[in-house]
Amino acid sequence: MSIKPDDLGSASSRSAGAGALPPYESDLEIARSVTPEPVLALAGQRLGLEPDVLVPYGHHKAKIEFEQLPEPVRAARGRLVLVTAVSPTPAGEGKTTTSIGLADGLNRLGLRATACLREPSLGPCFGMKGGAAGGGRAQVIPMEDINLHFNGDFHAITTAHNLLAALLDNHLHWSNELGVDARRVSWRRVIDLNDRALRDIVTGLGGPAHGVPRETGFDITAASEIMAILCLADGIEDLEKRLGDIVVARRRDFKTVTARDLGADGALAALLKDALKPNLVQTLEHNPVFMHGGPFANIAHGCNSVAATRTALELTDIVVTEAGFGADLGAEKFIDIKCRSAGLFPDAVVLVCTVRALKYQGGKAKAQLAEPDVEALRAGAVNLERHLENLARFGLSPIVAINRFPGDSDAEIATLIELAGEFGAVAVVADHWRQGGDGAVALAQAVADGLADGAPQAKFLYPDEMPLVDKIRSVACGIYGAADIALLPQAARQLREFEELGFGHLPVCIAKTQYSFSDDAARLGAPKGHILPVAEARLAAGAGFVVILCGSIMTMPGLPRHPAALDIGLDDQGRVEGLS
């Protein structure tokens, strides 16, 4: 994202006091203009943590030994604020940026608040985004570290996943004592890059010395079941149990083969013991951020880790967390999967919306979004209305956060506030991208006022005992506005088998395009009456859900015509450039 100097307002840092920072041309330059607080000092001053519960990764990053927190601390319970959004568009909605700005704004009100975010994946960083640590004056630092290798969690997950694949192939090569049917191996490999050439491959070619030939493929690491397990595990014992429960294949008698059957669960847990610890970093305003885990919401469950969320709730009064993509994907999965599993529920919800997004939903071309157009905004507001209606199904009344962009006209902003009111919601304008926490104070105050009204009653979309097909139909019809679902024969057979194996009680994790309520990315606004095609079902027994692949969704993305990687490099001082 290119930022014009005159688009940036002032921002203050907790250590430097009030005062404007000089203008910069990019998010990376803004991030470099702020010197991070030493992480041990940050943890002590802002979270009350002693150094012995932190594992520093250099001076400005650390992991927290969350299971070693003192008992009085572990008994504390903060309030949980979920940040979600309208349907994403190519123009960008700024959900992560809003989460960071809101946390900074709450701290400016004198409230002890933290943000709980997901780690960026190298796939989107080198693909379309170029970076995912916020933007403008609402960022998490150190930005380059976070966007590239960070503290190694993605690498640990990738290695653990591929170790299990290697152990399975080794078992087939040497003895196959478990009677694994090589035609019914469901465990694929992963890599944290967008590489369409790896979607479908054949392994074991070259003769007996190279293993048993079979068809398989790669998914992106963010879609790995081990990523989901890491993010849903409630401690090291739960992590190892979930890893052992992973179903990797079927025997010739159709019985399941698990990672525990292969004897792999111990080695996997050993690889992931450090990755399970939440990461501590900070905002530009030196407020603590727990950044941990990174599942995508269009092909996975899209939430940061339970370990990070619980740790933040134990250490601060208000925790701001995000759920990926629009509320139809991220928020639904946050509630029906993460909250159901962890016994959590949001105390308040913020629905991020932009003038540009609604104009795009109303038929305005991306190249024309800077032009004022109240009528396009009104036409696209059905998307906002649908998301508000969907969140009400969970008993939630969101605050609409209008993430202001420099080109938004006063008439458009006034119209959006009016429309939100007609839909029964309060809308608050936030300008954190230009002003940091100062620009989010009004939003923070609205959230704080909402928290004072009391916590909503936990409400899920469907009960555990509902059949898997009906759970899919509940989401498709109740959230996506579909008239029904269309099960391909393969998906119908898989769902029957999963129920026969005793997994019918699990929630469903629907993988579909993030750009539309339907399976067609081109159907904007709030389509109704469509049929949701269900192509395939994958059992994630360790994570505790069933993945439902709809339409043409793929679990290994491809690179665009001009990948962001082509703009990333080192300057003459050896510093990273091109991240944005």
Side-chain angles (χ1 to χ4, degrees), residues 549-570:
L549 277 69
C550 296
S552 58
I553 193 73
M554 295 181 179
T555 51
M556 168 56 81
L559 292 171
R561 183 178 296 274
H562 185 92
L566 300 181
D567 302 318
I568 296 172
L570 300 176

Side-chain angles (χ1 to χ4, degrees), residues 54-355:
L54 285 102
V55 182
Y57 279 59
H59 300 294
H60 305 128
K61 304 175 295 176
K63 282 187 168 290
I64 295 179
E65 303 269 14
F66 68 101
E67 293 185 313
Q68 295 185 23
L69 293 177
E71 286 302 322
V73 172
R74 292 181 64 83
R77 172 67 164 85
R79 310 294 295 281
L80 185 60
V81 179
L82 172 64
V83 176
T84 184
V86 296
S87 299
T89 71
E93 285 59 65
K95 187 169 61 274
T96 300
T97 304
T98 300
S99 300
I100 297 163
L102 175 57
D104 284 338
L106 288 164
N107 278 283
R108 284 179 178 270
L109 293 177
L111 301 169
R112 297 173 62 251
T114 56
C116 272
L117 307 174
R118 293 168 298 159
E119 302 174 46
S121 161
L122 291 178
C125 284
F126 290 140
M128 293 182 67
K129 284 190 174 182
R137 303 290 184 184
Q139 294 190 59
V140 183
I141 52 177
M143 188 259 222
E144 304 102 301
D145 291 5
I146 290 168
N147 279 310
L148 297 178
H149 299 286
F150 201 17
N151 291 349
D153 297 342
F154 270 68
H155 299 307
I157 292 165
T158 301
T159 303
H161 186 114
N162 292 335
L163 171 62
L164 180 53
L167 290 171
L168 175 57
D169 281 324
N170 190 59
H171 182 86
L172 288 170
H173 173 72
W174 284 109
S175 61
N176 196 11
E177 295 174 353
L178 294 172
V180 176
D181 187 340
R183 301 166 301 174
R184 292 183 172 85
V185 172
S186 55
W187 194 250
R188 293 156 59 89
R189 285 171 166 80
V190 298
I191 187 172
D192 188 30
L193 293 172
N194 294 358
D195 193 343
R196 61 172 57 84
L198 293 176
R199 286 173 181 158
D200 296 289
I201 63 171
V202 177
T203 57
L205 299 181
H210 303 292
V212 178
R214 64 181 185 85
E215 294 183 38
T216 182
F218 276 76
D219 299 324
I220 193 166
T221 298
S224 167
E225 183 179 350
I226 291 182
M227 171 66 80
I229 288 172
L230 184 92
C231 290
L232 292 170
D234 212 350
I236 193 69
E237 291 183 5
D238 187 39
L239 174 72
E240 187 162 2
K241 178 190 178 299
R242 287 174 178 268
L243 292 169
D245 289 341
I246 293 172
V247 173
V248 296
R250 299 289 188 87
R251 294 182 172 93
R252 296 189 183 95
D253 60 6
F254 289 97
K255 292 182 179 178
T256 58
V257 179
T258 66
R260 188 178 296 107
D261 293 331
L262 291 170
D265 46 334
L268 302 183
L271 281 172
L272 296 169
K273 68 179 183 64
D274 290 332
L276 182 63
K277 301 169 186 175
N279 304 299
L280 176 64
V281 283
Q282 61 192 281
T283 71
L284 291 177
E285 300 185 9
H286 309 305
N287 293 311
V289 176
F290 294 89
M291 189 168 254
H292 195 214
F296 297 161
N298 59 340
I299 53 178
H301 73 292
C303 316
N304 83 311
S305 74
V306 169
T309 305
R310 286 204 191 284
T311 301
L313 288 169
E314 291 165 0
L315 294 172
T316 51
D317 297 328
I318 301 176
V319 175
V320 179
T321 191
E322 65 171 347
F325 292 125
D328 58 318
L329 289 171
E332 186 274 320
K333 295 173 183 178
F334 179 89
I335 295 168
D336 280 326
I337 296 177
K338 179 176 178 176
C339 291
R340 190 191 301 261
S341 171
L344 300 170
F345 202 75
D347 297 291
V349 176
V350 172
L351 182 67
V352 179
C353 181
T354 67
V355 166

Side-chain angles (χ1 to χ4, degrees), residues 353-374:
C353 181
T354 67
V355 166
R356 302 193 312 173
L358 294 193
K359 288 192 292 187
Y360 184 85
Q361 295 293 339
K364 196 82 169 176
K366 180 183 177 182
Q368 300 174 326
L369 292 178
E371 302 172 1
D373 192 334
V374 170

